[in-house]
């Protein structure tokens, strides 16, 4: 797949869920972070390795699934607090996924040791999914 085709596919799969067995229960992880710079770079590298025959597609998918799990777990332990204020342009809720489009947004970041910083962006898109893990997560939870 070309880079633009992979990105289009990643956008289409935005709220997909990856399932991991965890003991007797099943844990679910959203694939949201595959659209991040790190996720897209990983996807490009894996695609190149599969194309060159250095990796099988099933191993590449396992690597991406592990990436989903690790990103969700790592971001769950962040101690930095971010607040933002802006003008809400559009919002929607579909398949347990909220999407917000904001204009003129100001961020305030505070962290350990008294760290504080501000940032401003003209436009912001927020995609938010249910952070709970388990059998009732994701767009296919309605049975």
């Amino acid at each position: 797949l070309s880079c633009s085709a992979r990105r289009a596919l990643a956008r289409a799969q935005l709220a997909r869920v990856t399932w991991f067995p965890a003991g007797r229960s099943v844990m679910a992880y959203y694939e949201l972070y595959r659209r991040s710079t790190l996720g897209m770079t990983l996807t490009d590298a894996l695609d190149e390795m599969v194309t060159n025959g250095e990796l099988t597609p099933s191993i590449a998918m396992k690597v991406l699934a592990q990436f989903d799990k690790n990103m969700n777990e790592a971001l769950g332990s962040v101690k930095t607090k971010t607040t933002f204020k802006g003008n809400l342009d559009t919002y929607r809720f579909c398949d347990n996924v909220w999407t917000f489009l904001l204009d003129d947004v100001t961020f305030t970041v505070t962290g350990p040791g008294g760290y504080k910083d501000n940032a401003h962006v003209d436009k912001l898109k927020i995609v938010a999914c249910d952070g709970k893990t388990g059998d009732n997560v994701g767009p296919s939870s309605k049975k």
Side-chain angles (χ1 to χ4, degrees):
L1 291 175
S2 69
C3 188
S4 60
R6 279 193 308 278
R7 285 196 173 98
L9 182 60
R11 284 186 201 100
Q13 296 175 340
L14 181 62
R16 282 190 46 201
V17 177
T18 301
W19 298 94
F20 274 90
R24 292 180 175 207
S25 64
V26 175
M27 301 295 286
Y29 299 96
Y30 284 106
E31 298 175 2
L32 292 172
Y33 304 107
R34 290 186 188 185
R35 289 188 61 200
S36 68
T37 302
L38 184 59
M40 293 304 294
T41 303
L42 175 62
T43 302
D44 289 344
L46 290 171
D47 183 53
E48 185 176 323
M49 292 175 79
V50 169
T51 301
N52 293 338
E54 299 168 351
L55 209 61
T56 65
S58 63
I59 295 293
M61 292 308 296
K62 287 179 182 178
V63 170
L64 285 173
Q66 188 65 44
F67 172 77
D68 298 333
K69 178 179 186 257
N70 290 346
M71 287 297 291
N72 280 276
E73 290 175 355
L75 292 174
S77 63
V78 172
K79 302 292 184 220
T80 302
K81 178 182 175 184
T82 302
T83 58
F84 60 91
K85 185 176 183 178
N87 300 315
L88 182 62
D89 179 50
T90 305
Y91 68 93
R92 67 183 70 94
F93 181 72
C94 182
D95 291 335
N96 288 336
V97 178
W98 280 101
T99 303
F100 302 93
L101 302 176
L102 295 97
D103 296 322
D104 194 29
V105 182
T106 301
F107 290 90
T108 303
V109 180
T110 55
Y115 173 81
K116 188 169 185 174
D117 196 8
N118 292 313
H120 181 268
V121 294
D122 293 330
K123 295 192 177 289
L124 175 69
K125 179 179 182 179
I126 298 173
V127 178
C129 299
D130 187 353
K132 297 177 186 171
T133 57
D135 292 334
N136 62 343
V137 176
S140 61
S141 63
K142 296 176 185 173
K143 296 183 181 179

